[in-house]
Amino acid sequence: MNLQVIYCNHHSAALAVRERLAFSSDDLLRAAYDRLRIDFPDSEIVVLSTCNRVELYAAHESPDEAPTHQQIAKFFADFHQIPLDDFVDDLLEQTGPDAVRHLFEVTSSVDSMVLGEPQIVSQVKEAYDVALKNDACGPLTNALFQGALRVSARVRTETKLSEGRVSIASVAVGEFGKSIFDRFDDKSVLIIGAGEMAEETLRYLKEEGVRDIIVVNRSPKRAEELAAEWGGRTEPFDKLDECLVAADVIVSTTGADRPIIDVPRFQQVLEKREGRAVFVLDLGAPRDFEPAVGEIDDSVFLYDIDSLEQTCERNRGKRVKEIERAQRLIEDETTKFMHDVYHQATGPVVKRLREEWHDIRRQEVERLTKKLSHLDAEDIREIEQSIERIVNKLLHPPLKTLKEEAKEGTPHGLIDALKRLFHLSD
Amino acid sequence: MSNVTVFCFLASYLVAFGLEIARWVRQVSINRMVMLAAAAAGMVAHTIYLLNRSGQTGMPPLLSSTHDWMLVLAWLVVGSYLFLTAVNRKLPLGVFLLPVVIFLIVMAYFVSDGPNLSVGPKAAIEQAHSGWVMLHATLLVFGITGVVVGFVLSVMYLYQHRRLKHHQAMVNDLALPSLERLARLNRAAVIISVPLLTLGMLFGVFIGLLSRKGPNPISFADPIVISNAIVWLVMLVFFVWLLATKRPVGKQVAWTTIWACGFLLVTIISLQVLTGGLEAIQTWH
């Protein structure tokens, strides 16, 4: 049995390349599986496509059936209609235990851009489910992906890799926002500007149940796009003060070169807020809110990138310490997995060899006991045991060699040799 | 069982408090289990002690003495702590609640363990209206438990508020309830405890009136009765303010709760200490 993964990820390829190689919709993925079934009919295949990685796992009974690196690269090029030279250097390959270790690391989020992030588990699970639905899996990929999900659960429970948030938006919402507000589904969120950070923060706020989203941006077109994507509405920029009065959460990410909200302006807003708490995330660089705004009133909780980054850094530091523990665990699980795989590969040959030799032993003992009728039961038992020991001792060297070879990978050559030398049928 | 003393459970609660503090420094899963075990062991000893006392006096702990009454109050607070900490592993409640428990137990040392004058003379208790006395004491103890809870919630609110204003993240995977929830619970604690205290006070007046027909009438001019009435009045004013304010600001409510509840607790306990005094120290085991 052979395993391989051919992939590009955030370590090896730029976002522009990953985007072109990605299978961004279910239809595209289904079409990819149809094509893969034609190109590599003897392989079990699972495709994992996220914003940070595109990976193709393949497993096959014999090494001769394995698709080559070039064949897979050509598949990507043909399927996505991209010139091979645009990405071939970004495409990496791992085989055997390295491929298993790679998937275990990916699923456990050791290989993630944001270390310990939880989304990857569901992404791997979904990729596996899609492969199952497309009849692309087999015994080895089933064992591999089920094992990966199990290892991921172990890493999450036995290490602190997932503890503490590490992105600005997640720290802002998870560590501070949730300490101010109990729930977000009854809160009004105001987005000023429509940058990437606003979008990421909105993702976390949406996960917390936010329903009322107002986007205010100098460019109405971008505001409308963002509002449409997240189920919000837009307001013109000149109504900003009214929106500030109504909002419970304010996320500001404008590209302004100086603060757009100063103390006198926000003071006027506060007078109309009747003491309601307001959580302000100033994610602009330079800042959109004058820092002194946070000190006007006890009900204002103002956070800028610097104050959030300190918490992110501390959490990242804690997670890095846990990588070593996670990797030891993954190494242990990889060895176990490979041992099971090789045992499954060599098991049938060992079984057949033992059965055939012991059949011969039994036949010979029967023949001997018929011939030597003067022997009593005790003598026959001694002879039986003696011959059994001889057979076991003769079997020991080849089986030991097979076991040792199996530690390095499936010993196809040795298995074939044993089958031919001892006429072992399949 | 009869050898269980106050020091047994006080020591257990001190150990649990020490471990709660240790959780802030370094989180070890065994730490929490030991902490819960220490607090639970303390509560068992606490319960046995109260049962023993009840057996000795032939009365429920709430009625037998101010000493026992304060220990019942501490027992209720410990029960709440154990339940909430077992349910929510991230909540460092003990840091806020156990000092109150320890304070109540230490203060119980200084108050009388003789018949409880605040709930009526022994003769009155033994009379037919002992049910009213029990109701009076029960309402007061639950009302004051609510006051303790409100006080602790306000301290938690102020800590959480300060942390958020200074952009400090919680350490070691611990988490306090949000400001919004703390404010809501704080309001609920006050709104529940003031009617209980009011009913308790009314039953106290009723018992006082009943006692006038008997041989040992309760004087309404008693300093304890007067001071209790004053603190109740303070709480009532706070209660009305809380209900009348359309949108109270959380931090303002927290500070007011601390002052009002703190005033109530300190007044009640210090009065008991002053009136119980040295006699209690001599008789206490």
Side-chain angles (χ1 to χ4, degrees):
Chain A
M1 287 190 191
N2 286 269
L3 269 168
Q4 67 181 140
V5 54
I6 290 164
Y7 64 101
C8 71
N9 60 17
H10 57 99
H11 299 300
S12 71
L15 178 62
V17 174
R18 300 199 307 268
E19 277 173 349
R20 292 171 79 191
L21 293 177
F23 301 91
S24 50
S25 69
D26 289 349
D27 289 342
L28 207 60
L29 204 51
R30 201 176 307 119
Y33 276 114
D34 289 343
R35 178 68 187 273
L36 285 163
R37 241 193 318 269
I38 295 165
D39 288 355
F40 314 110
D42 299 319
S43 295
E44 302 172 22
I45 286 175
V46 179
V47 177
L48 172 64
S49 177
T50 73
C51 54
N52 283 330
R53 61 188 71 247
V54 179
E55 307 197 336
L56 192 149
Y57 291 83
H60 3 267
E61 276 292 325
S62 124
D64 308 332
E65 295 162 358
T68 62
H69 188 103
Q70 285 73 20
Q71 283 175 315
I72 301 279
K74 191 169 176 303
F75 157 76
F76 277 118
D78 292 348
F79 188 83
H80 290 294
Q81 303 288 300
I82 316 167
L84 205 58
D85 291 342
D86 285 8
F87 68 90
V88 74
D89 292 338
D90 299 322
L91 220 50
L92 306 176
E93 181 175 9
Q94 306 278 4
T95 56
D98 293 336
V100 175
R101 190 179 300 107
H102 177 77
L103 179 63
F104 287 2
E105 284 182 350
V106 167
T107 317
S108 304
S109 191
V110 170
D111 194 53
S112 293
M113 188 183 265
V114 178
L115 203 63
E117 53 100 0
Q119 291 93 337
I120 189 67
V121 187
S122 48
Q123 286 166 339
V124 170
K125 197 169 181 306
E126 197 184 330
Y128 173 49
D129 286 343
V130 171
L132 279 173
K133 276 181 200 154
N134 283 282
D135 293 325
C137 286
L140 195 55
T141 41
N142 282 334
L144 178 66
F145 277 79
Q146 284 163 12
L149 295 170
R150 196 190 62 248
V151 172
S152 152
R154 256 196 89 184
V155 168
R156 271 160 221 283
T157 49
E158 293 179 30
T159 72
K160 292 179 180 169
L161 201 66
S162 310
E163 279 184 16
R165 296 169 180 89
V166 289
S167 75
I168 296 234
S170 65
V171 162
V173 176
E175 300 229 3
F176 296 112
K178 282 167 79 177
S179 294
I180 297 167
F181 299 123
D182 206 29
R183 48 192 285 200
F184 285 86
D185 57 350
D186 59 348
K187 302 291 180 296
S188 176
V189 176
L190 169 66
I191 306 289
I192 312 171
E196 259 183 48
M197 281 285 240
E199 208 162 344
E200 199 195 337
T201 312
L202 263 179
R203 184 159 63 83
Y204 286 101
L205 287 168
K206 266 284 185 187
E207 279 174 17
E208 296 302 329
V210 161
R211 285 195 288 237
D212 185 18
I213 298 168
I214 303 160
V215 184
V216 174
N217 193 35
R218 286 193 197 278
S219 151
K221 187 172 174 285
R222 177 70 190 118
E224 273 158 24
E225 281 171 10
L226 190 69
E229 191 179 344
W230 294 96
R233 59 195 160 88
T234 61
E235 288 288 349
F237 204 83
D238 55 12
K239 283 200 171 178
L240 180 59
D241 283 10
E242 286 168 41
C243 297
L244 288 169
V245 171
D248 299 296
V249 180
I250 300 168
V251 183
S252 186
T253 61
T254 71
D257 55 4
R258 64 175 65 88
I260 56 168
I261 311 285
D262 55 16
V263 172
R265 185 175 183 181
F266 204 72
Q267 200 120 40
Q268 284 181 344
V269 168
L270 282 181
E271 281 166 16
K272 295 175 191 163
R273 290 185 57 88
E274 298 176 323
R276 277 185 303 123
V278 59
F279 175 39
V280 185
L281 281 174
D282 181 356
L283 305 179
R287 286 182 279 212
D288 294 331
F289 280 69
E290 224 173 50
V293 164
E295 289 152 30
I296 304 175
D297 193 84
D298 285 332
S299 63
V300 182
F301 298 91
L302 171 64
Y303 296 83
D304 60 24
I305 287 185
D306 281 353
S307 55
L308 296 167
E309 188 56 45
Q310 283 169 11
T311 309
C312 292
E313 257 323 300
R314 206 195 61 214
N315 290 350
R316 277 187 211 121
K318 276 197 273 181
R319 285 189 180 190
V320 167
K321 286 182 193 163
E322 292 298 309
I323 289 184
E324 219 173 281
R325 284 180 65 198
Q327 277 173 335
R328 272 202 304 273
L329 208 146
I330 288 170
E331 197 53 52
D332 180 42
E333 287 283 352
T334 305
T335 310
K336 270 190 212 162
F337 180 84
M338 293 314 295
H339 178 80
D340 289 349
V341 167
Y342 299 145
H343 181 75
Q344 279 171 17
T346 57
V349 172
V350 173
K351 194 175 168 227
R352 282 201 298 277
L353 193 60
R354 279 183 183 281
E355 280 172 358
E356 292 212 358
W357 283 38
H358 282 288
D359 275 349
I360 295 167
R361 171 182 65 80
R362 272 189 292 274
Q363 286 164 17
E364 286 305 309
V365 170
E366 270 177 33
R367 195 184 63 78
L368 198 67
T369 47
K370 277 178 194 163
K371 245 184 179 178
L372 307 173
S373 53
H374 61 280
L375 293 176
D376 61 16
E378 183 62 24
D379 293 334
I380 292 168
R381 203 168 55 80
E382 278 294 327
I383 291 167
E384 256 182 16
Q385 285 178 350
S386 190
I387 297 174
E388 190 174 355
R389 274 198 296 275
I390 292 167
V391 170
N392 283 339
K393 280 180 180 174
L394 286 171
L395 273 172
H396 182 69
L399 294 186
K400 193 182 172 199
T401 308
L402 189 64
K403 198 175 170 186
E404 276 170 8
E405 284 290 308
K407 284 179 187 166
E408 305 300 317
T410 309
H412 293 285
L414 205 55
I415 290 172
D416 277 350
L418 283 170
K419 282 181 182 172
R420 290 174 65 186
L421 284 170
F422 298 104
H423 295 283
L424 302 172
S425 54
D426 277 322
Chain B
M1 290 289 193
S2 59
N3 292 331
V4 174
T5 66
V6 174
F7 293 111
C8 298
F9 51 88
L10 181 61
S12 296
Y13 297 148
L14 282 168
V15 169
F17 179 56
L19 289 166
E20 276 278 13
I21 297 285
R23 277 174 92 193
W24 288 65
V25 182
R26 185 179 164 80
Q27 182 141 34
V28 186
S29 53
I30 190 90
N31 203 355
R32 184 173 165 273
M33 299 313 293
V34 176
M35 181 186 84
L36 282 173
M43 198 178 175
V44 170
H46 199 151
T47 312
I48 292 168
Y49 179 84
L50 288 173
L51 290 174
N52 286 346
R53 287 277 305 162
S54 181
Q56 283 163 14
T57 58
M59 279 191 287
L62 272 178
L63 302 185
S64 57
S65 68
T66 309
H67 166 78
D68 293 354
W69 184 88
M70 279 172 74
L71 290 180
V72 170
L73 181 60
W75 185 86
L76 285 171
V77 178
V78 172
S80 318
Y81 159 72
L82 266 174
F83 174 73
L84 292 169
T85 309
V87 169
N88 186 345
R89 58 184 299 118
K90 291 185 174 183
L91 183 66
L93 190 61
V95 172
F96 303 93
L97 220 50
L98 287 175
V100 178
V101 171
I102 291 163
F103 172 75
L104 286 171
I105 295 171
V106 171
M107 284 300 115
Y109 182 84
F110 295 104
V111 300
S112 168
D113 63 351
N116 196 344
L117 294 172
S118 69
V119 295
K122 197 164 192 281
I125 296 165
E126 285 164 356
Q127 282 168 12
H129 53 266
S130 61
W132 294 116
V133 179
M134 185 66 190
L135 195 58
H136 165 63
T138 307
L139 287 166
L140 282 183
V141 85
F142 279 111
I144 292 178
T145 305
V147 167
V148 169
V149 170
F151 180 83
V152 169
L153 285 168
S154 298
V155 174
M156 284 167 80
Y157 184 98
L158 292 176
Y159 173 80
Q160 180 81 306
H161 187 276
R162 189 181 180 283
R163 177 181 81 77
L164 291 166
K165 274 293 209 184
H166 288 83
H167 309 147
Q168 291 164 343
M170 282 295 282
V171 293
N172 293 330
D173 204 28
L174 297 173
L176 286 173
S178 66
L179 290 179
E180 193 177 31
R181 179 176 290 192
L182 285 169
R184 202 171 55 239
L185 292 173
N186 188 4
R187 190 181 161 88
V190 174
I191 287 175
I192 291 169
S193 61
V194 172
L196 288 173
L197 289 174
T198 307
L199 280 172
M201 285 292 290
L202 289 175
F203 279 112
V205 172
F206 178 64
I207 291 161
L209 292 172
L210 279 182
S211 74
R212 294 202 158 177
K213 293 173 189 167
N216 299 305
I218 296 170
S219 167
F220 288 112
D222 187 292
I224 291 184
V225 175
I226 292 172
S227 55
N228 282 350
I230 291 169
V231 290
W232 166 76
L233 208 62
V234 169
M235 283 303 289
L236 194 67
V237 169
F238 175 44
F239 175 77
V240 172
W241 172 77
L242 202 61
L243 288 183
T245 312
K246 196 179 169 191
R247 201 188 282 275
V249 177
K251 195 177 172 190
Q252 194 185 350
V253 174
W255 272 118
T256 318
T257 311
I258 284 181
W259 284 114
C261 296
F263 175 65
L264 184 143
L265 290 172
V266 169
T267 309
I268 288 180
I269 290 166
S270 54
L271 266 170
Q272 295 297 341
V273 171
L274 287 172
T275 52
L278 292 169
E279 185 206 343
I281 296 171
Q282 286 160 6
T283 55
W284 198 48
H285 305 290

